[in-house]
Amino acid sequence: EDKVVQSPLSLVVHEGDTVTLNCSYEVTNFRSLLWYKQEKKAPTFLFMLTSSGIEKKSGRLSSILDKKELFSILNITATQTGDSAVYLCAVPNAGGTSYGKLTFGQGTILTVHP
Amino acid sequence: DGGITQSPKYLFRKEGQNVTLSCEQNLNHDAMYWYRQDPGQGLRLIYYSQIVNDFQKGDIAEGYSVSREKKESFPLTVTSAQKNPTAFYLCASSTGDQPQHFGDGTRLSIL
């Protein structure tokens, strides 16, 4: 059975801090790992990672994958109150298409105080 | 604008009642999905459909049913057999090698 574990489950920081969110996985026939941001309603796509060691970057957010150690990290630098959200990590299930059935982690609740 | 529309935003169910959650997409996506989200448990897959008139059970299908008569629509029925239906329900769609897009969700509560 595929498994995705995120840590920490919750995190409280102040504006300007840098945070690192972790996602470890056990999945048959790994294809990719996805990060989503959820602010109360619809999760929105952040990154898709397929290769080890190649950093994906978007503004203050960046993510990297380690396929040997089976984990990914999501970094947010100079956090702002608008970064407060649940961050979800997901991997496609074995037998699914590249972006088909997804197994999600529990999510990390990030709260950024002014 | 293209997107996924879920309705209603809030829904209340009485004991023994079946309720249906609507999900419509105008993205021309082939695949559609239903997830349930409980606090501290992330998203869990209920049902998914890769093409019209075909669907498969996900990890927690018991007490739920779906249909896929049209490409744009994938309604979810929460039956009276689902004993703990209170949750946030999210619908998603995807096509090819693109990431899933999500609707804004329906929050279901028990009266």
XYZ file of all heavy atoms in Angstrom, chain B residues 3-99:
776
model
N -13.125 25.909 -15.423
C -12.894 25.509 -14.046
C -13.802 24.389 -13.629
O -14.488 23.775 -14.441
N -13.768 24.110 -12.326
C -14.588 23.060 -11.734
C -15.549 23.719 -10.746
O -15.111 24.489 -9.887
C -13.711 22.036 -11.001
C -12.723 21.409 -11.964
C -14.566 20.968 -10.347
C -11.721 20.480 -11.311
N -16.813 23.404 -10.883
C -17.834 23.981 -10.014
C -18.462 22.897 -9.169
O -19.004 21.921 -9.691
C -18.928 24.674 -10.836
O -18.338 25.696 -11.643
C -19.967 25.298 -9.917
N -18.392 23.070 -7.854
C -19.036 22.147 -6.938
C -20.212 22.865 -6.273
O -20.117 24.029 -5.903
C -18.059 21.680 -5.859
C -16.995 20.756 -6.374
C -16.178 20.154 -5.225
O -14.969 20.338 -5.154
N -16.847 19.426 -4.340
N -21.300 22.125 -6.120
C -22.444 22.691 -5.416
C -23.186 21.599 -4.662
O -23.162 20.438 -5.062
C -23.383 23.393 -6.407
O -23.896 22.466 -7.343
N -23.849 21.971 -3.559
C -23.779 23.285 -2.929
C -22.475 23.449 -2.148
O -21.702 22.499 -2.037
C -24.980 23.262 -1.983
C -25.085 21.822 -1.579
C -24.700 21.026 -2.799
N -22.228 24.616 -1.602
C -21.037 24.823 -0.777
C -21.217 24.179 0.594
O -20.263 23.673 1.191
C -20.766 26.313 -0.612
C -20.229 26.979 -1.860
C -19.825 28.393 -1.596
C -19.200 29.115 -2.764
N -19.182 28.500 -4.046
N -22.439 24.224 1.114
C -22.757 23.624 2.404
C -24.000 22.757 2.235
O -24.930 23.128 1.522
C -23.031 24.702 3.465
C -21.861 25.614 3.710
C -21.746 26.828 3.024
C -20.862 25.273 4.620
C -20.656 27.662 3.240
C -19.781 26.101 4.835
C -19.686 27.298 4.145
O -18.608 28.118 4.355
N -24.005 21.610 2.923
C -25.116 20.673 2.800
C -25.322 19.981 4.139
O -24.356 19.611 4.814
C -24.797 19.649 1.713
C -25.871 18.652 1.298
C -27.112 19.378 0.788
C -25.328 17.716 0.221
N -26.609 19.816 4.484
C -26.928 19.141 5.729
C -27.731 17.887 5.415
O -28.636 17.911 4.588
C -27.730 20.077 6.641
C -26.948 21.285 7.060
C -27.007 22.451 6.309
C -26.136 21.245 8.174
C -26.268 23.562 6.676
C -25.398 22.353 8.553
C -25.461 23.512 7.801
N -27.409 16.813 6.087
C -28.087 15.538 5.837
C -28.790 15.072 7.099
O -28.227 15.148 8.198
C -27.080 14.468 5.398
C -27.740 13.240 4.772
C -26.782 12.085 4.620
N -26.726 11.260 5.825
C -26.123 10.084 5.888
N -25.494 9.611 4.832
N -26.111 9.391 7.017
N -30.019 14.603 6.904
C -30.744 14.016 8.028
C -30.429 12.525 8.084
O -29.985 11.930 7.093
C -32.242 14.209 7.835
C -32.701 15.656 7.897
C -34.212 15.747 7.694
C -34.670 17.185 7.706
N -36.136 17.283 7.450
N -30.701 11.923 9.220
C -30.499 10.480 9.390
C -31.304 9.714 8.329
O -32.460 10.045 8.062
C -30.966 10.038 10.775
C -30.101 10.537 11.915
C -28.788 9.800 12.019
O -28.672 8.706 11.431
O -27.872 10.302 12.674
N -30.669 8.728 7.700
C -31.368 7.881 6.745
C -31.583 8.504 5.377
O -32.253 7.927 4.521
N -31.016 9.659 5.162
C -31.252 10.368 3.905
C -30.058 10.211 2.969
O -28.905 10.196 3.419
C -31.464 11.846 4.222
C -31.871 12.720 3.069
C -32.003 14.179 3.502
O -31.187 14.699 4.250
N -33.047 14.838 3.035
N -30.334 10.072 1.683
C -29.278 10.145 0.667
C -29.160 11.600 0.199
O -30.176 12.286 0.038
C -29.608 9.282 -0.547
C -29.597 7.806 -0.233
O -29.224 7.386 0.859
N -30.025 7.007 -1.192
N -27.941 12.059 -0.031
C -27.743 13.395 -0.587
C -26.750 13.303 -1.747
O -25.870 12.443 -1.746
C -27.224 14.400 0.460
C -28.287 14.675 1.509
C -25.934 13.925 1.099
N -26.928 14.203 -2.719
C -26.056 14.190 -3.902
C -25.296 15.501 -4.012
O -25.885 16.583 -3.941
C -26.874 13.955 -5.174
O -27.488 12.659 -5.092
C -25.976 13.990 -6.411
N -23.973 15.378 -4.192
C -23.087 16.515 -4.372
C -22.774 16.636 -5.860
O -22.434 15.652 -6.519
C -21.786 16.313 -3.590
C -21.808 16.497 -2.082
C -22.763 15.527 -1.389
C -20.406 16.339 -1.513
N -22.859 17.856 -6.349
C -22.658 18.090 -7.779
C -21.223 18.510 -8.070
O -20.602 19.240 -7.297
C -23.619 19.177 -8.252
O -23.314 19.598 -9.560
N -20.695 18.042 -9.208
C -19.387 18.467 -9.687
C -19.457 18.594 -11.209
O -19.746 17.609 -11.896
C -18.302 17.480 -9.298
S -16.662 17.949 -9.925
N -19.209 19.784 -11.708
C -19.240 20.056 -13.148
C -17.919 20.721 -13.554
O -17.433 21.604 -12.861
C -20.387 21.012 -13.488
C -21.762 20.542 -13.057
C -22.366 19.563 -14.041
O -22.028 19.639 -15.240
O -23.180 18.722 -13.597
N -17.357 20.289 -14.703
C -16.132 20.920 -15.193
C -16.280 21.262 -16.669
O -16.901 20.512 -17.429
C -14.916 20.004 -14.960
C -15.032 18.599 -15.521
C -14.322 18.355 -16.832
O -13.731 19.271 -17.407
N -14.364 17.120 -17.320
N -15.722 22.417 -17.044
C -15.739 22.827 -18.450
C -14.322 22.920 -18.992
O -14.035 23.740 -19.880
C -16.495 24.140 -18.613
C -15.871 25.276 -17.817
O -14.817 25.093 -17.200
N -16.507 26.437 -17.820
N -13.456 22.069 -18.461
C -12.053 22.037 -18.871
C -11.795 20.986 -19.947
O -10.668 20.846 -20.415
C -11.173 21.743 -17.649
C -11.271 22.775 -16.506
C -10.624 22.230 -15.239
C -10.632 24.081 -16.930
N -12.842 20.245 -20.314
C -12.720 19.148 -21.283
C -11.757 18.055 -20.791
O -11.087 17.394 -21.593
C -12.266 19.661 -22.659
C -12.591 18.668 -23.763
O -13.594 17.958 -23.706
N -11.737 18.608 -24.773
N -11.690 17.889 -19.474
C -10.826 16.858 -18.905
C -11.498 15.493 -18.977
O -12.703 15.358 -18.803
C -10.509 17.186 -17.434
C -9.532 18.298 -17.284
N -9.182 18.806 -16.059
C -8.808 18.979 -18.210
C -8.285 19.767 -16.234
N -8.051 19.887 -17.525
N -10.681 14.466 -19.224
C -11.215 13.110 -19.312
C -11.494 12.500 -17.940
O -12.472 11.800 -17.741
C -10.227 12.199 -20.061
C -10.064 12.622 -21.514
O -11.092 12.778 -22.196
O -8.916 12.790 -21.953
N -10.578 12.737 -16.997
C -10.659 12.072 -15.703
C -11.244 12.992 -14.636
O -10.976 14.199 -14.625
C -9.278 11.603 -15.257
N -12.044 12.406 -13.759
C -12.604 13.156 -12.630
C -12.493 12.305 -11.379
O -12.478 11.070 -11.444
C -14.059 13.549 -12.903
C -14.198 14.491 -14.101
S -15.867 15.117 -14.342
C -15.991 16.327 -12.992
N -12.435 12.986 -10.208
C -12.151 12.320 -8.935
C -12.984 12.941 -7.823
O -13.279 14.137 -7.847
C -10.657 12.494 -8.553
C -9.688 12.218 -9.664
C -9.403 13.195 -10.624
C -9.046 10.987 -9.760
C -8.508 12.942 -11.639
C -8.144 10.743 -10.788
C -7.891 11.722 -11.722
O -7.010 11.471 -12.740
N -13.293 12.120 -6.824
C -13.886 12.616 -5.589
C -12.991 12.227 -4.413
O -12.587 11.073 -4.277
C -15.279 12.022 -5.370
C -16.370 12.777 -6.038
C -17.068 12.420 -7.154
C -16.917 14.029 -5.620
N -17.993 13.368 -7.464
C -17.928 14.376 -6.533
C -16.652 14.906 -4.559
C -18.684 15.539 -6.432
C -17.395 16.065 -4.452
C -18.398 16.372 -5.372
N -12.713 13.252 -3.555
C -11.924 13.040 -2.350
C -12.737 13.482 -1.140
O -13.564 14.392 -1.211
C -10.631 13.875 -2.381
C -9.641 13.467 -3.426
C -9.664 14.048 -4.695
C -8.667 12.513 -3.161
C -8.727 13.683 -5.656
C -7.735 12.147 -4.119
C -7.780 12.746 -5.366
O -6.861 12.380 -6.323
N -12.405 12.868 -0.033
C -12.956 13.287 1.250
C -11.802 13.804 2.088
O -10.716 13.200 2.124
C -13.612 12.086 1.928
C -14.006 12.312 3.368
C -14.662 11.098 3.971
N -14.829 11.308 5.418
C -15.905 10.931 6.082
N -16.882 10.288 5.480
N -15.994 11.167 7.388
N -12.019 14.936 2.781
C -10.973 15.502 3.630
C -11.500 15.656 5.048
O -12.481 16.339 5.308
C -10.516 16.869 3.104
C -9.313 17.421 3.846
C -8.769 18.685 3.214
O -9.489 19.457 2.600
N -7.462 18.910 3.338
N -10.833 14.960 5.975
C -11.117 15.088 7.403
C -9.925 15.751 8.074
O -8.795 15.632 7.598
C -11.338 13.705 8.028
C -12.559 13.013 7.486
O -13.654 13.360 7.946
O -12.433 12.146 6.598
N -10.148 16.425 9.184
C -9.028 17.089 9.875
C -7.927 16.091 10.218
O -8.187 15.023 10.772
C -9.685 17.648 11.137
C -11.121 17.814 10.784
C -11.438 16.675 9.864
N -6.695 16.445 9.886
C -5.550 15.614 10.245
C -5.357 14.384 9.395
O -4.463 13.583 9.674
N -6.183 14.211 8.351
C -6.052 12.995 7.535
C -5.796 13.278 6.063
O -5.800 12.369 5.263
C -7.302 12.129 7.659
C -7.484 11.549 9.044
C -8.499 10.428 9.070
O -8.463 9.538 8.219
N -9.405 10.453 10.031
N -5.595 14.518 5.684
C -5.356 14.813 4.277
C -6.557 14.440 3.428
O -7.691 14.385 3.905
N -6.324 14.159 2.152
C -7.386 13.807 1.214
C -7.375 12.303 0.971
O -6.315 11.705 0.758
C -7.173 14.510 -0.134
C -7.690 15.932 -0.289
C -6.947 16.886 0.613
C -7.566 16.370 -1.742
N -8.561 11.692 0.975
C -8.670 10.269 0.663
C -9.597 10.088 -0.525
O -10.659 10.691 -0.590
C -9.177 9.502 1.885
C -8.169 9.460 3.029
C -8.695 8.652 4.191
N -9.800 9.323 4.878
C -10.615 8.738 5.746
N -10.447 7.447 6.037
N -11.567 9.422 6.330
N -9.214 9.208 -1.434
C -9.942 9.022 -2.691
C -11.169 8.153 -2.488
O -11.080 7.042 -1.965
C -9.010 8.389 -3.717
C -9.568 8.185 -5.124
C -9.849 9.523 -5.793
C -8.591 7.365 -5.956
N -12.327 8.652 -2.940
C -13.584 7.911 -2.817
C -13.860 7.122 -4.101
O -14.009 5.909 -4.084
C -14.756 8.863 -2.534
C -14.480 9.716 -1.284
C -16.049 8.069 -2.355
C -15.516 10.804 -1.052
N -13.977 7.821 -5.221
C -14.204 7.229 -6.542
C -13.452 8.057 -7.577
O -13.172 9.227 -7.367
C -15.697 7.256 -6.906
C -16.497 6.039 -6.519
C -17.276 6.036 -5.356
C -16.518 4.902 -7.321
C -18.026 4.926 -4.994
C -17.273 3.784 -6.968
C -18.014 3.810 -5.805
O -18.773 2.713 -5.456
N -13.153 7.421 -8.701
C -12.607 8.159 -9.813
C -13.117 7.579 -11.121
O -13.545 6.422 -11.181
C -11.077 8.199 -9.773
C -10.399 6.872 -10.001
C -9.762 6.575 -11.202
C -10.351 5.915 -8.981
C -9.118 5.364 -11.400
C -9.710 4.708 -9.184
C -9.097 4.441 -10.378
O -8.456 3.227 -10.573
N -13.040 8.413 -12.165
C -13.535 8.010 -13.483
C -12.558 8.512 -14.535
O -12.239 9.693 -14.577
C -14.918 8.615 -13.723
O -15.298 8.497 -15.074
N -12.094 7.600 -15.382
C -11.136 7.985 -16.419
C -11.834 8.339 -17.731
O -11.288 9.080 -18.548
C -10.137 6.847 -16.674
C -9.360 6.391 -15.450
C -8.188 7.299 -15.109
O -8.216 8.487 -15.397
N -7.168 6.748 -14.489
N -13.037 7.769 -17.947
C -13.797 8.075 -19.160
C -15.280 8.015 -18.842
O -15.686 7.475 -17.807
C -13.486 7.080 -20.307
C -13.762 5.638 -19.855
C -12.062 7.221 -20.800
C -13.665 4.628 -20.968
N -16.084 8.521 -19.759
C -17.539 8.508 -19.585
C -18.032 7.071 -19.468
O -17.502 6.162 -20.111
C -18.211 9.220 -20.786
C -19.726 9.113 -20.690
C -17.807 10.682 -20.821
N -19.043 6.890 -18.620
C -19.691 5.595 -18.392
C -18.780 4.546 -17.760
O -19.056 3.344 -17.859
C -20.288 5.035 -19.700
C -21.456 5.865 -20.188
O -22.257 6.360 -19.385
N -21.543 6.042 -21.492
N -17.701 5.003 -17.132
C -16.813 4.079 -16.427
C -16.274 4.754 -15.184
O -15.923 5.943 -15.222
C -15.652 3.663 -17.330
C -14.820 2.564 -16.692
O -15.399 1.589 -16.182
O -13.585 2.700 -16.689
N -16.224 4.024 -14.066
C -15.660 4.573 -12.842
C -15.170 3.429 -11.968
O -15.598 2.277 -12.134
C -16.675 5.442 -12.091
C -18.025 4.806 -11.887
C -18.248 3.934 -10.835
C -19.072 5.099 -12.752
C -19.501 3.357 -10.645
C -20.321 4.526 -12.576
C -20.536 3.655 -11.520
N -14.241 3.758 -11.069
C -13.645 2.757 -10.180
C -13.675 3.237 -8.734
O -13.630 4.444 -8.471
C -12.173 2.487 -10.551
C -11.992 1.655 -11.809
C -12.130 2.491 -13.043
O -11.662 3.610 -13.086
N -12.794 1.945 -14.060
N -13.733 2.283 -7.826
C -13.685 2.604 -6.412
C -12.288 3.077 -6.028
O -11.282 2.551 -6.514
C -14.056 1.380 -5.574
C -15.497 0.954 -5.719
C -15.788 -0.248 -4.830
C -17.253 -0.667 -4.954
N -17.564 -1.830 -4.097
N -12.280 4.045 -5.111
C -11.027 4.468 -4.513
C -10.809 3.734 -3.201
O -11.253 2.596 -3.022
N -10.154 4.393 -2.267
C -9.782 3.753 -1.003
C -10.917 3.672 0.006
O -10.890 2.839 0.908
C -8.603 4.507 -0.381
C -7.389 4.519 -1.294
O -7.099 3.465 -1.890
O -6.741 5.568 -1.424
N -11.931 4.566 -0.114
C -12.995 4.625 0.901
C -14.363 4.725 0.224
O -15.160 5.583 0.550
C -12.768 5.800 1.881
C -12.607 7.123 1.123
C -11.541 5.566 2.754
C -12.736 8.342 2.015
N -14.676 3.809 -0.689
C -15.901 3.905 -1.492
C -17.168 3.480 -0.749
O -18.280 3.817 -1.182
C -15.740 3.068 -2.753
N -17.047 2.766 0.346
C -18.240 2.235 1.013
C -19.152 3.361 1.490
O -18.713 4.294 2.154
C -17.837 1.358 2.200
C -19.016 0.669 2.859
C -18.595 -0.297 3.956
O -17.387 -0.588 4.061
O -19.469 -0.742 4.701
N -20.452 3.237 1.136
C -21.415 4.248 1.542
C -21.566 5.388 0.548
O -22.316 6.330 0.798
N -20.867 5.291 -0.579
C -20.935 6.315 -1.624
C -21.253 5.676 -2.959
O -20.995 4.495 -3.172
C -19.591 7.053 -1.762
C -19.113 7.750 -0.525
C -18.184 7.132 0.324
C -19.547 9.031 -0.203
C -17.724 7.778 1.472
C -19.088 9.678 0.938
C -18.184 9.044 1.761
O -17.722 9.684 2.884
N -21.849 6.468 -3.871
C -22.038 6.013 -5.243
C -21.830 7.189 -6.183
O -21.962 8.355 -5.786
C -23.426 5.398 -5.453
O -24.427 6.389 -5.291
N -21.477 6.874 -7.431
C -21.235 7.924 -8.440
C -21.829 7.488 -9.768
O -22.205 6.337 -9.956
C -19.724 8.194 -8.648
C -19.095 8.801 -7.406
C -18.992 6.929 -9.070
N -21.881 8.436 -10.703
C -22.235 8.151 -12.085
C -21.406 9.066 -12.966
O -20.950 10.120 -12.535
C -23.725 8.359 -12.342
O -24.078 9.717 -12.135
N -21.199 8.643 -14.217
C -20.455 9.484 -15.173
C -21.141 9.340 -16.535
O -20.637 8.719 -17.463
C -18.998 9.029 -15.250
C -18.143 9.959 -16.122
C -17.612 11.130 -15.373
N -16.938 12.104 -16.193
C -15.666 12.041 -16.590
N -14.918 10.985 -16.270
N -15.139 13.013 -17.310
N -22.307 9.958 -16.640
C -23.090 9.890 -17.875
C -22.620 10.919 -18.897
O -22.869 10.772 -20.101
C -24.568 10.063 -17.562
C -25.133 8.954 -16.681
C -26.583 9.203 -16.298
O -27.152 10.211 -16.750
O -27.125 8.391 -15.536
N -22.001 11.981 -18.421
C -21.482 13.021 -19.310
C -20.041 13.333 -18.919
O -19.672 13.232 -17.752
C -22.317 14.299 -19.183
C -23.760 14.164 -19.579
C -24.462 15.522 -19.567
C -24.437 16.155 -18.201
N -25.160 17.464 -18.183
N -19.260 13.762 -19.874
C -17.856 14.058 -19.615
C -17.711 15.170 -18.584
O -16.790 15.170 -17.775
C -17.181 14.480 -20.921
C -15.675 14.626 -20.837
C -15.097 14.932 -22.213
C -13.578 14.944 -22.164
N -12.993 15.193 -23.505
N -18.663 16.120 -18.618
C -18.528 17.309 -17.773
C -18.971 17.092 -16.336
O -18.716 17.926 -15.477
C -19.371 18.460 -18.340
C -19.184 18.743 -19.818
C -19.975 17.788 -20.692
O -21.189 17.635 -20.474
O -19.349 17.160 -21.569
N -19.669 16.005 -16.055
C -20.355 15.877 -14.780
C -20.016 14.578 -14.065
O -19.972 13.502 -14.683
C -21.864 15.941 -15.035
O -22.578 15.793 -13.836
N -19.801 14.664 -12.749
C -19.441 13.477 -11.963
C -20.061 13.630 -10.580
O -19.371 13.903 -9.592
C -17.917 13.380 -11.878
C -17.387 12.080 -11.316
C -17.949 10.868 -11.683
C -16.287 12.071 -10.473
C -17.440 9.661 -11.189
C -15.768 10.880 -9.971
C -16.343 9.681 -10.335
N -21.372 13.423 -10.455
C -22.031 13.615 -9.155
C -21.722 12.489 -8.174
O -21.564 11.329 -8.573
C -23.516 13.633 -9.524
C -23.596 12.863 -10.802
C -22.315 13.127 -11.528
N -21.666 12.847 -6.907
C -21.398 11.899 -5.824
C -22.617 11.827 -4.911
O -23.103 12.862 -4.449
C -20.189 12.364 -5.011
C -19.873 11.572 -3.735
C -19.249 10.216 -4.086
C -18.926 12.355 -2.816
N -23.127 10.629 -4.682
C -24.227 10.432 -3.743
C -23.688 9.833 -2.449
O -23.003 8.806 -2.476
C -25.311 9.532 -4.324
O -25.887 10.181 -5.475
C -26.415 9.269 -3.307
N -24.000 10.498 -1.347
C -23.648 9.990 -0.019
C -24.883 9.273 0.491
O -25.926 9.904 0.720
C -23.242 11.132 0.921
C -22.798 10.592 2.269
C -22.137 11.975 0.291
N -24.811 7.967 0.618
C -25.993 7.195 0.974
C -26.131 7.079 2.487
O -25.198 7.395 3.243
C -25.932 5.787 0.358
O -24.979 5.004 1.074
C -25.553 5.840 -1.120
N -27.278 6.580 2.911
C -27.518 6.406 4.347
C -26.595 5.339 4.938
O -26.447 5.251 6.161
C -28.983 6.024 4.587
O -29.306 4.858 3.859
N -25.951 4.555 4.090
C -25.019 3.536 4.565
C -23.706 4.132 5.052
O -22.943 3.465 5.757
C -24.727 2.528 3.445
N -23.452 5.385 4.681
C -22.239 6.071 5.142
C -22.538 6.636 6.528
O -23.245 7.639 6.664
C -21.852 7.164 4.154
C -20.693 8.076 4.595
C -19.484 7.344 5.092
O -19.112 7.420 6.264
N -18.853 6.587 4.231
N -21.988 6.009 7.551
C -22.371 6.337 8.929
C -21.684 7.571 9.482
O -22.114 8.126 10.488
C -22.076 5.134 9.843
C -22.884 3.893 9.471
C -24.375 4.180 9.417
C -25.177 2.958 9.026
N -26.606 3.278 8.791
N -20.611 7.989 8.853
C -19.896 9.164 9.327
C -19.620 10.107 8.161
O -18.465 10.277 7.746
C -18.582 8.741 9.995
C -17.834 9.915 10.603
O -18.436 10.933 10.927
N -16.532 9.790 10.738
N -20.666 10.722 7.598
C -20.486 11.492 6.371
C -19.962 12.902 6.582
O -19.621 13.566 5.605
C -21.902 11.550 5.797
C -22.772 11.517 7.012
C -22.075 10.633 8.002
N -19.899 13.380 7.811
C -19.470 14.757 8.045
C -18.025 14.928 7.618
O -17.119 14.303 8.177
C -19.616 15.124 9.537
O -20.986 15.044 9.895
C -19.088 16.526 9.795
N -17.804 15.772 6.601
C -16.463 15.963 6.044
C -16.532 17.055 4.996
O -17.600 17.566 4.658
C -15.937 14.674 5.418
N -15.359 17.391 4.467
C -15.218 18.317 3.353
C -14.958 17.476 2.111
O -14.031 16.668 2.086
C -14.053 19.272 3.645
C -13.904 20.404 2.689
C -14.977 21.208 2.362
C -12.668 20.694 2.117
C -14.833 22.281 1.490
C -12.516 21.762 1.252
C -13.599 22.552 0.932
N -15.807 17.638 1.074
C -15.695 16.812 -0.123
C -15.149 17.650 -1.273
O -15.679 18.724 -1.597
C -17.064 16.230 -0.498
C -17.519 15.194 0.493
C -18.234 15.562 1.632
C -17.222 13.841 0.305
C -18.637 14.617 2.560
C -17.625 12.890 1.230
C -18.330 13.285 2.354
O -18.722 12.348 3.274
N -14.110 17.141 -1.900
C -13.447 17.838 -2.997
C -13.523 17.020 -4.270
O -13.264 15.824 -4.275
C -11.977 18.094 -2.662
C -11.712 19.221 -1.670
C -10.329 19.080 -1.064
C -11.848 20.574 -2.355
N -13.874 17.694 -5.352
C -13.904 17.092 -6.682
C -12.706 17.622 -7.465
O -12.302 18.777 -7.295
C -15.207 17.470 -7.374
S -15.368 16.857 -9.057
N -12.121 16.778 -8.306
C -10.972 17.187 -9.104
C -11.101 16.611 -10.498
O -11.861 15.661 -10.733
C -9.667 16.725 -8.457
N -10.357 17.181 -11.439
C -10.315 16.638 -12.796
C -8.904 16.776 -13.337
O -8.118 17.602 -12.860
C -11.324 17.340 -13.712
O -10.920 18.676 -13.973
N -8.607 15.954 -14.337
C -7.292 16.037 -14.956
C -7.369 15.453 -16.359
O -8.330 14.770 -16.725
C -6.239 15.281 -14.144
O -6.463 13.888 -14.198
N -6.323 15.724 -17.151
C -6.232 15.154 -18.479
C -4.780 14.914 -18.819
O -3.908 15.704 -18.431
C -6.887 16.079 -19.529
O -6.994 15.385 -20.768
C -6.090 17.352 -19.736
N -4.501 13.818 -19.501
C -3.144 13.513 -19.915
C -2.174 13.527 -18.755
O -2.409 12.936 -17.713
N -1.074 14.238 -18.945
C -0.031 14.315 -17.921
C -0.105 15.606 -17.113
O 0.908 16.067 -16.592
C 1.346 14.204 -18.591
C 1.625 12.797 -19.070
O 0.970 11.873 -18.572
O 2.491 12.630 -19.945
N -1.278 16.197 -17.017
C -1.424 17.446 -16.272
C -1.851 17.182 -14.837
O -2.564 16.221 -14.568
C -2.478 18.330 -16.959
C -2.128 18.693 -18.380
C -0.782 19.380 -18.469
O -0.510 20.339 -17.757
N 0.089 18.872 -19.334
N -1.436 18.049 -13.889
C -1.857 17.876 -12.498
C -3.359 18.052 -12.340
O -4.010 18.716 -13.145
C -1.116 19.007 -11.772
C -0.014 19.404 -12.672
C -0.490 19.152 -14.069
